[in-house]
Amino acid sequence: MKRTLVIPALLLLAASAAAQTAPAPTKNPVSTALRGILPGRQKNTVAAVEAMPADKFNYKPSADQMTFGHLVTHMVETNHLLCSKAAAVPAPKVEVNDTDSKDKLVAALKGSFDLCSDALAKVDDSKLAETTEGFGGKQVTRAWISLVLAGAWADHYAQAAMYLRLNGGLPPTAKK
């Protein structure tokens, strides 16, 4: 009899403890999550670009792929475009070229992540259903833009990590 009472009591105690340690619900779960993802993606992506030797920014794995410098300009342009659309703020004019120096490209990448941080600070979930122009003129929601943005950050870091490995480098997340 005692055993049948102990098990439910332990389950109740465990559920109570879990409820006390669970994070409080947030008013804006999607925009809060996007802002929470940004610092790690920024840190790793910038570190990967900084780890690539300057003389390898013209490297491309095959004739059909972009150079590493082009990848960085693509990251900068994507951050400006998607972060401005997610937050409904004007996108700044981007002045970078694939052949710019490593220092200029790294500075532009850092600046694009700073723009994202500033822009996303203004986003809340109440605006996620609003539509904006997406790729090819298609109308999409700000929620769609936000999901694409988070995916782009992961994709861009993965590409930079691949380029690093192909050049004997180790991506930041692979270091101990």
Side-chain angles (χ1 to χ4, degrees):
M1 180 74 164
K2 284 184 182 181
R3 194 175 280 209
T4 58
L5 292 176
V6 170
I7 292 173
L10 287 174
L11 289 173
L12 183 61
L13 183 62
S16 175
Q20 290 176 5
T21 60
T26 180
K27 182 178 177 186
N28 296 295
V30 176
S31 54
T32 299
L34 190 60
R35 283 188 293 274
I37 292 168
L38 174 60
R41 297 290 190 238
Q42 178 177 0
K43 175 185 163 218
N44 290 329
T45 303
V46 169
V49 172
E50 288 176 331
M52 182 65 84
D55 65 334
K56 296 293 185 177
F57 271 58
N58 64 351
Y59 170 79
K60 57 182 175 174
S62 72
D64 294 331
Q65 290 177 282
M66 65 180 83
T67 65
F68 189 76
H70 184 94
L71 173 61
V72 177
T73 62
H74 173 72
M75 289 180 207
V76 170
E77 292 166 351
T78 301
N79 279 351
H80 284 181
L81 174 70
L82 295 178
C83 289
S84 66
K85 287 197 175 282
V89 299
K93 178 76 171 126
V94 181
E95 297 290 335
V96 290
N97 288 307
D98 304 3
T99 57
D100 285 340
S101 70
K102 175 182 176 175
D103 289 341
K104 183 174 180 179
L105 290 173
V106 168
L109 182 62
K110 288 178 178 179
S112 75
F113 276 113
D114 289 343
L115 168 96
C116 286
S117 182
D118 292 344
L120 296 177
K122 299 173 176 90
V123 174
D124 65 64
D125 290 9
S126 70
K127 308 270 190 304
L128 292 176
E130 291 178 1
T131 59
T132 186
E133 186 176 323
F135 304 115
K138 178 182 172 186
Q139 289 296 303
V140 297
T141 63
R142 294 198 193 286
W144 186 91
I145 292 286
S146 297
L147 292 172
V148 168
L149 175 60
W153 288 334
D155 182 48
H156 293 155
Y157 174 71
Q159 286 179 285
M162 176 197 66
Y163 278 58
L164 272 174
R165 286 190 183 273
L166 290 170
N167 284 281
L170 195 59
T173 55
K175 295 179 181 177
K176 292 184 181 186

